Amino acid sequence: MDRAAEHRLSTHEPKPAQGCQSDNSRRDVHLSQYGPFLHPRYLAVVILIVVLTIQYSNISPSPPTLRDVQTTESSLLTAQDILRQCAGLLDVAESPSNILGRERSDRYEPGTRPTLIKNVTLWTGARNGTEIVYGDILLDKGLVRGIGYIPEALYNDDDTDVVDAHGGWVTPGLVDMNTYLGVLSAPVTTGALDYSSSRGPILPWLRSIDGFNTHDKAFRLAIAGGVTTVQMAPGSENAIGGQAFMVKLRRTPERSPTSMVVEPPPALNGSAPNPDLPPQWRHLKMACGESVRAYGNRMDVMWALRSAFAEARQIRDAQDAFCHKAEAGLWHEIAGQRYPEDLRWEALVDVLRGRVKVSVDCSEAVDLDAMVRLTQEFRFSIASIQHAAEAYLVPEVLKHTYGGIPTIAVLMDSSRSSRESYRGSVFAPRILADYGVPIAMESNHPVTNSRYLLFEAQQAHYFGLSPQLALASVTSVPASAAGLSHRIGILREGADADVVLWDSHPLQLGATPRKVWIDGILQVGNDTDHVLVGPGKTGPEWYEPPRVPNFDAERKAAAQWDGLPPLTRKRTVAGRVAFRNVKEVFLRQGGDSAGVVSSYGLDGDAAATHVIVDRGRITCVGPVCEGEGRNAEVVMDLRGGTIAPGMMAFGSALGIEELEGDPSTGYGAQFDPLSEDVPQIVGDVGGLVRIEDALLFGTRDAQIAHRAGVTYATTSFVRSAVFLREKFFGGLSATFRTGAPHALDRTAIIKPVTALHVAFGRAPPVPYPRAASLSTEFATLRRLLLEGEDPRTQTGDWFKKAAEGAIPLVIEVSSADVMATLMRLKNEVEEKRGTYMRMVFSRATEAHLLAEEIAHAQIGVILSPSRQFPWSWDDRRIMPGPPLANNTALATLLKHGVTVGLGTWEANHVPNIRFDIGWAILESNNWINKRQAFELVTTNLEKLLDLEGWIGDMGDMVAYEGGSALDFSSKPVAVASPAGGLVELL
């Protein structure tokens, strides 16, 4: 082997201790492959081959015949085996042509009763998503047996379960093409971190199925969102992370990972391929860009990939040469040789032979271009590119991909979470679709809960993607990209019986499955569960795609400015602004009964009205205001829109960093006095710091939040790090305006010190960061609240104020057990000091278990995020809401009289806060009304954080054009600021 080849292997080969040959022993690889054959018995056979070869060459000038090789005991494979293996080399994986003619599914469970779903509005996914069928659908033997008119001869009433859909929408089961379900399973524990390997950048021999945990609590949650099939992939920390698998989330009687795989390739269990069928698709995960930084920069990564593919190409070419000789009858030239193969590289060889659906995680234009060049150099195709944040900026580059344009998978609210996604745009799906690029939405579970995959499609539709393409992006398109559209993603006779019956049109906000079938077996929605789903969705508008705003100008600007269009104010008006055709008005109410009141529009049949704003303050609401609008400086037609209070963000890093995943744009590391010594020069043993000192104004996250109607933010140093543990001290939070230009603007900082923050929790499942024990945290907090630190220090002073109730103490906590101990500590401090503490639980995943006790203790709760997920052991006892449970944690707390606010972890999710509260109404089955929903992110947060006198009736108001602020019909067009004395036109 030449030096270049040796160097290629040394770039990415695991070391001997890690289970593979060392770099320096690569010269011995060919010998080690034949290690078993160096046994004396095999040596004798090899000698016999040589002797026979010499004999044949001496007796006759002709080479040995096929019969000669067949009868030679020295053959490592029989001639028939060799020819059979060689004959399949040119076979390319493809969908079986006769699969739709099956009588039963290979996944059919004997004893499963047929199901007839009557009176459906069926979106089949066929004809590019345009086909809609009205009628019935019959499921039997794991298959769709009939669509439309179902003759009674096809089923027996006595043996068939009949469901009346009452005209409801039915779709194929959703397909999530990028998840870590089962390999990063919930709750995340030390023994379940199997999504990625640290053994090197190139690992095509690893298989995610080997780490697939069938007890992942997220499976049932995903099914509750209508997801039936997912691609379970290795992580993106390796240039080649390993082999992925398409799995159905249904629990099988065998209860094994293998039994969940859809069309398992023969390579999975060593079985022989079926000669009557084309090869089944395999799947592989690759990555490039920032996520692979542990193994070098972009140049290093691309070299590692080129080296790996060069090795695979060498093996493929050797196989072809070997088979060419065999098929030409040149048996004397291959006598005694073994078929060229290497278990480590066989998956990449199959990539080059067109048998693998390759998924690539790449974001930036530089990475996409490099990957396209790689496909051209080694002549392989890419099925999908995930996290392709900048793909919409280079659609013509994608068209040069060898084998055709790959499907582009995106996550709608992941922009600005890292540098490589900084230019991502919510308009990317529409822009790419206009270029003819296939679009799929992904969850990247658990980054986004796979349960809410459909919400990604709903957002894509909101920002301009057509209804049919939006639905196809989570059904037929990902199914096709995975090579499985012959059985999933499209409903037709003979397809797998993966079906979802929805409570509304699937693109409506909060659309929830009434029932979910996988392989014809009901998974969610059993009538005996008595879960109420969608009782308020009775009007005809719920059964149509939502009417969405026009974003043509914004979409054009996103492309024109390479994803970074200016976010400056269009215009400010210090005089009078008149708003016409206003359907709903929600105003702030100050005083003892502070909250949000509906001034107009609670009656759904109320006519549109007028609102007058003078110098940023609403001065008139109602029909009587029409005359006052005649001398307005600006008149705006809201077309049935809404005016409501500006909302507040809580829980994210909004305002203290530009790129959430890039420390160079953030606030730097904070000292944790429970695990390290704070430098003496700080002069405070706790190292307590203020967020006010680290505020950044004008970040894109803050500006986009402002333009989405989130005009305030309260930020601390506590970061909800998914399943990790945060530092105990979270510092002193500040409240500020998201649209302020700089800190010296007189309206920028609302309250420089809002609350004192600490974080409680158990040790993380990873060794870093190091965390103190729970007992140590309680001992520390108890001492600080009982005057254990000099009040002349920052730590002593602010904890004394917290103990006296002069400042809210916000505690990041998930576990109900820890909350119970904190409540006992609160009682202890109040009894000993004779004070009343303003304690607030944030995150508060399990707070619903103690709703009555929390209300009695007068402790507030900020649920963050609003929809729960069992991230960690402390988060495991969630209340999932419909269709799995009648109640949500939010509704349970409110019913017990707890003051509740809503927060969000990610700064890039903040613009969706209004959708979160609209969704909360629907999840509560309309027990929560719109007024209460607005209070969750306005006046309730102000009460909990002692901001009532700082915002109050001088708070911002936001105008939404087109419809309700709490659904997909509207977009913000203006912000009225009484404190600033003006109206900002967005």
Side-chain angles (χ1 to χ4, degrees), residues 20-21 29 33 203-207 243 267 270 282 315 319 338-349:
C20 292
Q21 291 94 339
V29 166
Q33 286 179 343
L203 303 170
W205 47 83
L206 298 186
R207 306 183 302 183
Q243 299 165 42
R282 304 175 66 184
I315 295 173
Q319 291 174 349
R338 190 183 181 198
Y339 178 77
E341 58 185 350
D342 188 324
L343 188 59
R344 295 167 305 170
W345 304 108
E346 57 86 22
L348 281 191
V349 172

mmCIF file of all heavy atoms in Angstrom, residues 20-21 29 33 203-207 243 267 270 282 315 319 338-349:
data_model
loop_
_atom_site.group_PDB
_atom_site.id
_atom_site.type_symbol
_atom_site.label_atom_id
_atom_site.label_comp_id
_atom_site.label_asym_id
_atom_site.label_seq_id
_atom_site.Cartn_x
_atom_site.Cartn_y
_atom_site.Cartn_z
ATOM 1 N N CYS A 20 -10.115 -1.449 16.526
ATOM 2 C CA CYS A 20 -9.738 -1.596 15.129
ATOM 3 C C CYS A 20 -8.230 -1.565 15.014
ATOM 4 O O CYS A 20 -7.524 -1.237 15.952
ATOM 5 C CB CYS A 20 -10.350 -0.469 14.278
ATOM 6 S SG CYS A 20 -12.135 -0.592 14.154
ATOM 7 N N GLN A 21 -7.716 -1.864 13.814
ATOM 8 C CA GLN A 21 -6.281 -1.864 13.608
ATOM 9 C C GLN A 21 -5.704 -0.476 13.786
ATOM 10 O O GLN A 21 -6.348 0.513 13.508
ATOM 11 C CB GLN A 21 -5.948 -2.354 12.183
ATOM 12 C CG GLN A 21 -6.250 -3.806 11.969
ATOM 13 C CD GLN A 21 -7.628 -3.987 11.382
ATOM 14 O OE1 GLN A 21 -8.467 -3.120 11.489
ATOM 15 N NE2 GLN A 21 -7.860 -5.144 10.790
ATOM 16 N N VAL A 29 -3.211 -5.144 6.961
ATOM 17 C CA VAL A 29 -4.654 -5.361 6.904
ATOM 18 C C VAL A 29 -5.016 -6.535 6.009
ATOM 19 O O VAL A 29 -5.826 -7.384 6.350
ATOM 20 C CB VAL A 29 -5.362 -4.068 6.429
ATOM 21 C CG1 VAL A 29 -6.809 -4.377 6.038
ATOM 22 C CG2 VAL A 29 -5.329 -3.027 7.534
ATOM 23 N N GLN A 33 -6.917 -9.861 7.271
ATOM 24 C CA GLN A 33 -8.214 -10.284 6.762
ATOM 25 C C GLN A 33 -8.272 -11.791 6.587
ATOM 26 O O GLN A 33 -9.312 -12.404 6.735
ATOM 27 C CB GLN A 33 -8.487 -9.616 5.408
ATOM 28 C CG GLN A 33 -8.837 -8.141 5.516
ATOM 29 C CD GLN A 33 -9.061 -7.547 4.155
ATOM 30 O OE1 GLN A 33 -8.648 -8.148 3.165
ATOM 31 N NE2 GLN A 33 -9.681 -6.397 4.098
ATOM 32 N N LEU A 203 -16.745 6.921 10.653
ATOM 33 C CA LEU A 203 -17.210 5.707 11.330
ATOM 34 C C LEU A 203 -18.383 5.063 10.581
ATOM 35 O O LEU A 203 -19.453 4.841 11.146
ATOM 36 C CB LEU A 203 -17.642 6.039 12.768
ATOM 37 C CG LEU A 203 -16.583 6.696 13.663
ATOM 38 C CD1 LEU A 203 -17.219 7.194 14.963
ATOM 39 C CD2 LEU A 203 -15.464 5.714 13.962
ATOM 40 N N PRO A 204 -18.209 4.716 9.316
ATOM 41 C CA PRO A 204 -19.337 4.129 8.573
ATOM 42 C C PRO A 204 -19.717 2.748 9.055
ATOM 43 O O PRO A 204 -20.781 2.239 8.686
ATOM 44 C CB PRO A 204 -18.812 4.095 7.135
ATOM 45 C CG PRO A 204 -17.329 4.018 7.268
ATOM 46 C CD PRO A 204 -16.999 4.834 8.483
ATOM 47 N N TRP A 205 -18.868 2.130 9.843
ATOM 48 C CA TRP A 205 -19.151 0.767 10.316
ATOM 49 C C TRP A 205 -20.070 0.752 11.539
ATOM 50 O O TRP A 205 -20.585 -0.298 11.909
ATOM 51 C CB TRP A 205 -17.838 0.055 10.649
ATOM 52 C CG TRP A 205 -16.894 0.873 11.484
ATOM 53 C CD1 TRP A 205 -16.891 1.038 12.834
ATOM 54 C CD2 TRP A 205 -15.789 1.644 10.993
ATOM 55 N NE1 TRP A 205 -15.875 1.858 13.227
ATOM 56 C CE2 TRP A 205 -15.168 2.239 12.124
ATOM 57 C CE3 TRP A 205 -15.268 1.877 9.722
ATOM 58 C CZ2 TRP A 205 -14.054 3.068 12.008
ATOM 59 C CZ3 TRP A 205 -14.149 2.703 9.609
ATOM 60 C CH2 TRP A 205 -13.556 3.295 10.741
ATOM 61 N N LEU A 206 -20.300 1.906 12.168
ATOM 62 C CA LEU A 206 -21.205 1.946 13.314
ATOM 63 C C LEU A 206 -22.652 1.920 12.840
ATOM 64 O O LEU A 206 -22.987 2.423 11.764
ATOM 65 C CB LEU A 206 -20.961 3.197 14.150
ATOM 66 C CG LEU A 206 -19.575 3.332 14.790
ATOM 67 C CD1 LEU A 206 -19.541 4.544 15.716
ATOM 68 C CD2 LEU A 206 -19.199 2.069 15.562
ATOM 69 N N ARG A 207 -23.540 1.348 13.679
ATOM 70 C CA ARG A 207 -24.949 1.235 13.332
ATOM 71 C C ARG A 207 -25.794 1.757 14.493
ATOM 72 O O ARG A 207 -25.678 1.277 15.623
ATOM 73 C CB ARG A 207 -25.314 -0.219 13.018
ATOM 74 C CG ARG A 207 -24.450 -0.860 11.952
ATOM 75 C CD ARG A 207 -24.890 -2.270 11.612
ATOM 76 N NE ARG A 207 -24.883 -3.142 12.784
ATOM 77 C CZ ARG A 207 -25.165 -4.443 12.750
ATOM 78 N NH1 ARG A 207 -25.468 -5.001 11.588
ATOM 79 N NH2 ARG A 207 -25.142 -5.179 13.844
ATOM 80 N N GLN A 243 -24.408 4.232 10.290
ATOM 81 C CA GLN A 243 -25.587 3.828 9.526
ATOM 82 C C GLN A 243 -26.859 4.178 10.295
ATOM 83 O O GLN A 243 -26.945 3.965 11.506
ATOM 84 C CB GLN A 243 -25.528 2.332 9.245
ATOM 85 C CG GLN A 243 -24.315 1.917 8.418
ATOM 86 C CD GLN A 243 -24.056 0.442 8.445
ATOM 87 O OE1 GLN A 243 -24.983 -0.365 8.365
ATOM 88 N NE2 GLN A 243 -22.779 0.054 8.564
ATOM 89 N N ALA A 267 -27.897 -6.767 5.288
ATOM 90 C CA ALA A 267 -26.651 -6.520 6.017
ATOM 91 C C ALA A 267 -26.871 -6.386 7.515
ATOM 92 O O ALA A 267 -25.943 -6.536 8.305
ATOM 93 C CB ALA A 267 -25.978 -5.255 5.483
ATOM 94 N N GLY A 270 -27.238 -10.315 8.465
ATOM 95 C CA GLY A 270 -26.405 -11.287 7.777
ATOM 96 C C GLY A 270 -27.151 -12.234 6.878
ATOM 97 O O GLY A 270 -26.569 -13.190 6.361
ATOM 98 N N ARG A 282 -30.359 1.064 2.173
ATOM 99 C CA ARG A 282 -29.686 1.285 3.448
ATOM 100 C C ARG A 282 -29.613 2.793 3.671
ATOM 101 O O ARG A 282 -29.900 3.589 2.769
ATOM 102 C CB ARG A 282 -28.283 0.667 3.424
ATOM 103 C CG ARG A 282 -28.285 -0.807 3.096
ATOM 104 C CD ARG A 282 -26.878 -1.356 2.972
ATOM 105 N NE ARG A 282 -26.175 -1.330 4.247
ATOM 106 C CZ ARG A 282 -24.902 -1.676 4.406
ATOM 107 N NH1 ARG A 282 -24.182 -2.052 3.348
ATOM 108 N NH2 ARG A 282 -24.333 -1.651 5.590
ATOM 109 N N ILE A 315 -11.786 -0.549 -2.881
ATOM 110 C CA ILE A 315 -12.382 -1.857 -2.622
ATOM 111 C C ILE A 315 -13.413 -2.194 -3.695
ATOM 112 O O ILE A 315 -13.459 -3.324 -4.204
ATOM 113 C CB ILE A 315 -13.021 -1.888 -1.218
ATOM 114 C CG1 ILE A 315 -11.937 -1.731 -0.144
ATOM 115 C CG2 ILE A 315 -13.815 -3.175 -1.003
ATOM 116 C CD1 ILE A 315 -12.476 -1.576 1.257
ATOM 117 N N GLN A 319 -13.341 -5.341 -6.251
ATOM 118 C CA GLN A 319 -14.441 -6.287 -6.405
ATOM 119 C C GLN A 319 -14.828 -6.432 -7.871
ATOM 120 O O GLN A 319 -15.051 -7.544 -8.371
ATOM 121 C CB GLN A 319 -15.648 -5.809 -5.595
ATOM 122 C CG GLN A 319 -15.456 -5.869 -4.093
ATOM 123 C CD GLN A 319 -16.625 -5.254 -3.339
ATOM 124 O OE1 GLN A 319 -17.482 -4.598 -3.941
ATOM 125 N NE2 GLN A 319 -16.662 -5.450 -2.029
ATOM 126 N N ARG A 338 -9.620 -14.438 -2.082
ATOM 127 C CA ARG A 338 -10.906 -14.200 -1.435
ATOM 128 C C ARG A 338 -11.557 -12.973 -2.061
ATOM 129 O O ARG A 338 -10.869 -12.043 -2.489
ATOM 130 C CB ARG A 338 -10.699 -13.977 0.063
ATOM 131 C CG ARG A 338 -11.987 -13.964 0.873
ATOM 132 C CD ARG A 338 -11.711 -13.669 2.332
ATOM 133 N NE ARG A 338 -12.940 -13.690 3.104
ATOM 134 C CZ ARG A 338 -13.073 -13.145 4.308
ATOM 135 N NH1 ARG A 338 -12.045 -12.546 4.864
ATOM 136 N NH2 ARG A 338 -14.206 -13.207 4.961
ATOM 137 N N TYR A 339 -12.872 -12.966 -2.085
ATOM 138 C CA TYR A 339 -13.607 -11.828 -2.618
ATOM 139 C C TYR A 339 -13.200 -10.566 -1.850
ATOM 140 O O TYR A 339 -13.220 -10.543 -0.608
ATOM 141 C CB TYR A 339 -15.102 -12.081 -2.483
ATOM 142 C CG TYR A 339 -15.982 -10.961 -2.964
ATOM 143 C CD1 TYR A 339 -16.186 -10.763 -4.327
ATOM 144 C CD2 TYR A 339 -16.607 -10.107 -2.060
ATOM 145 C CE1 TYR A 339 -17.000 -9.728 -4.773
ATOM 146 C CE2 TYR A 339 -17.425 -9.079 -2.494
ATOM 147 C CZ TYR A 339 -17.617 -8.885 -3.861
ATOM 148 O OH TYR A 339 -18.417 -7.870 -4.302
ATOM 149 N N PRO A 340 -12.784 -9.506 -2.531
ATOM 150 C CA PRO A 340 -12.291 -8.302 -1.837
ATOM 151 C C PRO A 340 -13.416 -7.602 -1.069
ATOM 152 O O PRO A 340 -14.390 -7.138 -1.669
ATOM 153 C CB PRO A 340 -11.787 -7.413 -2.979
ATOM 154 C CG PRO A 340 -11.668 -8.301 -4.165
ATOM 155 C CD PRO A 340 -12.702 -9.362 -3.996
ATOM 156 N N GLU A 341 -13.284 -7.523 0.218
ATOM 157 C CA GLU A 341 -14.257 -6.794 1.031
ATOM 158 C C GLU A 341 -13.650 -6.493 2.389
ATOM 159 O O GLU A 341 -12.673 -7.120 2.815
ATOM 160 C CB GLU A 341 -15.558 -7.590 1.193
ATOM 161 C CG GLU A 341 -15.377 -8.957 1.830
ATOM 162 C CD GLU A 341 -16.677 -9.755 1.852
ATOM 163 O OE1 GLU A 341 -17.740 -9.164 1.556
ATOM 164 O OE2 GLU A 341 -16.635 -10.950 2.144
ATOM 165 N N ASP A 342 -14.210 -5.474 3.037
ATOM 166 C CA ASP A 342 -13.744 -5.050 4.351
ATOM 167 C C ASP A 342 -14.976 -4.573 5.116
ATOM 168 O O ASP A 342 -15.679 -3.668 4.669
ATOM 169 C CB ASP A 342 -12.717 -3.916 4.215
ATOM 170 C CG ASP A 342 -12.052 -3.557 5.537
ATOM 171 O OD1 ASP A 342 -12.738 -3.607 6.585
ATOM 172 O OD2 ASP A 342 -10.857 -3.208 5.525
ATOM 173 N N LEU A 343 -15.248 -5.203 6.232
ATOM 174 C CA LEU A 343 -16.466 -4.904 6.979
ATOM 175 C C LEU A 343 -16.563 -3.432 7.355
ATOM 176 O O LEU A 343 -17.652 -2.870 7.453
ATOM 177 C CB LEU A 343 -16.520 -5.776 8.239
ATOM 178 C CG LEU A 343 -17.832 -5.732 9.038
ATOM 179 C CD1 LEU A 343 -19.010 -6.164 8.183
ATOM 180 C CD2 LEU A 343 -17.721 -6.602 10.286
ATOM 181 N N ARG A 344 -15.402 -2.807 7.554
ATOM 182 C CA ARG A 344 -15.425 -1.401 7.955
ATOM 183 C C ARG A 344 -15.913 -0.496 6.828
ATOM 184 O O ARG A 344 -16.510 0.543 7.061
ATOM 185 C CB ARG A 344 -14.035 -0.951 8.405
ATOM 186 C CG ARG A 344 -13.533 -1.645 9.666
ATOM 187 C CD ARG A 344 -12.057 -1.397 9.855
ATOM 188 N NE ARG A 344 -11.311 -1.805 8.655
ATOM 189 C CZ ARG A 344 -10.028 -1.515 8.467
ATOM 190 N NH1 ARG A 344 -9.364 -0.830 9.373
ATOM 191 N NH2 ARG A 344 -9.411 -1.924 7.376
ATOM 192 N N TRP A 345 -15.651 -0.870 5.596
ATOM 193 C CA TRP A 345 -15.934 0.022 4.479
ATOM 194 C C TRP A 345 -17.086 -0.454 3.599
ATOM 195 O O TRP A 345 -17.424 0.197 2.610
ATOM 196 C CB TRP A 345 -14.673 0.174 3.621
ATOM 197 C CG TRP A 345 -13.497 0.655 4.413
ATOM 198 C CD1 TRP A 345 -12.400 -0.062 4.773
ATOM 199 C CD2 TRP A 345 -13.325 1.955 4.968
ATOM 200 N NE1 TRP A 345 -11.538 0.708 5.513
ATOM 201 C CE2 TRP A 345 -12.082 1.960 5.647
ATOM 202 C CE3 TRP A 345 -14.091 3.123 4.941
ATOM 203 C CZ2 TRP A 345 -11.597 3.077 6.315
ATOM 204 C CZ3 TRP A 345 -13.608 4.245 5.611
ATOM 205 C CH2 TRP A 345 -12.373 4.213 6.290
ATOM 206 N N GLU A 346 -17.721 -1.574 3.963
ATOM 207 C CA GLU A 346 -18.735 -2.125 3.071
ATOM 208 C C GLU A 346 -19.924 -1.170 2.906
ATOM 209 O O GLU A 346 -20.549 -1.134 1.834
ATOM 210 C CB GLU A 346 -19.187 -3.500 3.565
ATOM 211 C CG GLU A 346 -19.733 -3.559 4.980
ATOM 212 C CD GLU A 346 -21.214 -3.246 5.033
ATOM 213 O OE1 GLU A 346 -21.880 -3.386 3.996
ATOM 214 O OE2 GLU A 346 -21.696 -2.844 6.102
ATOM 215 N N ALA A 347 -20.247 -0.388 3.934
ATOM 216 C CA ALA A 347 -21.368 0.548 3.792
ATOM 217 C C ALA A 347 -21.033 1.636 2.781
ATOM 218 O O ALA A 347 -21.887 2.022 1.971
ATOM 219 C CB ALA A 347 -21.714 1.160 5.149
ATOM 220 N N LEU A 348 -19.797 2.123 2.799
ATOM 221 C CA LEU A 348 -19.407 3.149 1.830
ATOM 222 C C LEU A 348 -19.311 2.567 0.428
ATOM 223 O O LEU A 348 -19.610 3.248 -0.563
ATOM 224 C CB LEU A 348 -18.068 3.776 2.224
ATOM 225 C CG LEU A 348 -18.088 4.839 3.328
ATOM 226 C CD1 LEU A 348 -16.743 5.541 3.405
ATOM 227 C CD2 LEU A 348 -19.192 5.852 3.093
ATOM 228 N N VAL A 349 -18.894 1.319 0.321
ATOM 229 C CA VAL A 349 -18.891 0.670 -0.993
ATOM 230 C C VAL A 349 -20.317 0.618 -1.536
ATOM 231 O O VAL A 349 -20.561 0.893 -2.726
ATOM 232 C CB VAL A 349 -18.290 -0.745 -0.901
ATOM 233 C CG1 VAL A 349 -18.467 -1.490 -2.226
ATOM 234 C CG2 VAL A 349 -16.821 -0.674 -0.532
#
